[in-house]
Amino acid sequence: MQVAVVGAGAWGGNIIRNLAELNALGAICDPNPERLAAYAESHPGVRTETDYRALLDGECRAVAIATPTSEHFEIATAAIDAGCDVYVEKPVTHDSASTRALVAHAAANDRILMAGHLLLYQPAITWIKDYLAAGKLGELYGVRHERLTLGRARSVENVLWDIGVHDVAVMLYLIDSLPQSIRASGHRMLQLQVEDEVHVHLEFAGGVRGNLHVSWLWPETTRRTIIRGSRGMLVYDEVAQTVTLHRKWIDEDLANRDEGSEIVHRGDGQPLRLELQHFLDRIADRKPPLSDGESALAVIETLERVQATLAEDR
C-alpha cells in the first residue's frame, strides 16, 4: 500500500522518511515548490504535487495529512470522497462538531480514519496499559502528565492544544473512560489571547483523578507520566524512555511501605514508525485503528471542556 503525504513541513518530513523506509511512500504534496524539488531529488520516482486535489485521481488509496490543523477537515473530507483511507495528525480538527462530521463521513464511506496520537504507540504506554489491566498496581488512584519545556510559542492555539493533546489521549486510554468533571487554570505570560501554561484537574468514575501540567515556558524539559495505585507507582520518563516501578504505598494501617524501585521497561523511541505501520496494517485488514475517529473525538471533546473552563478562569 502506497501512501500520499499531504504537508511536507517539519513533521511531514518525519512521516515521509518513515513511510519511505517502510516502502510505502507513494506521493508528496506541498505548496512550496522548492521544498518539493528537494524531496523529488531525495526520493526519485515519487510523485510530487503542489495541490492535494491533483492526487485524488483514483490512483491514490491512502493519504497522510500533516498540514496546519485548520486545513485538516477540508483535505480529509476530499480524500474520503475520493475513496482514500486517511491518517491525520493531531488534533484532527479544532472543534468537536467538525471532528464528529469527519468520523461520520468516514464511516458512511467505509474508510479508515486514524488520528496521529503518537504517544499511544510508544511501547512503554502499551506496557503500562497491560500492567494496569492485569491489576498489578492495585486500585488505580490517578494519572498525572507533565509536559514542560522551553518550546515554540504560538499566537493562535494555546499550549494545551499544541503539546497537551498527546497527554489527554493517553490519559483517556489508560483510564478507559471520560472525565465526569474538569477544572483548569491557565497563565498567559507571553500572549494576550492564549495560555502559555495550563493546569488541568479531571475527575473520573470510581474516584480516579487525572492531572495535567503543560507549559512552553519552562527552564528544563520534562515529559513524564506518573500513575499511582494502591500497591505502588509507575513513572514513565519519555525523555529517557524508561518505566520505573516504585513499590511504595501506604497500607490500611496508614503505615508507609517501601520495597524499593526498579526500571521495568525500556522503550525504543520510534513510535512514529510503529504508528505508521499500524495505519498500513489497518488499511490491509480493515480493523479500527487504536487511535480511530471515535477516540480522537473523545480527545477533542475533552479539550473543548477544558477550554471552556479556562475561559471561565479568565
Side-chain angles (χ1 to χ4, degrees), residues 3-36:
V3 180
V5 179
V6 181
W11 190 249
N14 292 329
I15 294 174
I16 289 168
R17 174 175 53 82
N18 277 273
L19 285 174
E21 292 172 355
L22 289 168
N23 296 315
L25 179 62
I28 302 171
C29 178
D30 194 273
N32 186 319
E34 291 79 12
R35 184 180 290 162
L36 273 187

Side-chain angles (χ1 to χ4, degrees), residues 185-222:
S185 63
H187 194 178
R188 290 173 286 161
M189 294 171 276
L190 302 177
Q191 309 285 344
L192 293 176
Q193 299 300 322
V194 301
E195 290 81 7
D196 316 296
E197 182 168 286
V198 173
H199 292 265
V200 186
H201 178 78
L202 308 97
E203 299 183 7
F204 296 83
V208 179
R209 298 291 189 267
N211 291 279
L212 174 61
H213 180 199
V214 290
S215 176
W216 56 38
L217 186 57
W218 201 260
E220 300 173 329
T221 296
T222 300

Side-chain angles (χ1 to χ4, degrees), residues 144-148 167 211-214 222-226 238:
R144 176 179 175 84
H145 293 283
E146 298 171 351
R147 189 166 297 273
L148 315 166
D167 300 302
N211 291 279
L212 174 61
H213 180 199
V214 290
T222 300
R223 300 198 299 268
R224 66 176 182 170
T225 301
I226 303 168
E238 194 180 329

Side-chain angles (χ1 to χ4, degrees), residues 23-67:
N23 296 315
L25 179 62
I28 302 171
C29 178
D30 194 273
N32 186 319
E34 291 79 12
R35 184 180 290 162
L36 273 187
Y39 277 114
E41 183 176 347
S42 60
H43 296 83
V46 174
R47 180 183 178 184
T48 59
E49 299 284 355
T50 56
D51 188 337
Y52 75 88
R53 297 173 187 86
L55 292 172
L56 307 179
D57 55 7
E59 294 183 11
C60 176
R61 308 308 302 167
V63 172
I65 302 170
T67 62

Side-chain angles (χ1 to χ4, degrees), residues 244-264:
T244 301
L245 171 62
H246 296 269
R247 295 186 179 88
K248 302 175 182 181
W249 69 95
I250 298 176
D251 65 20
E252 296 80 359
D253 299 321
L254 301 184
N256 287 11
R257 302 289 298 274
D258 187 345
E259 297 180 1
S261 304
E262 65 173 317
I263 294 176
V264 290

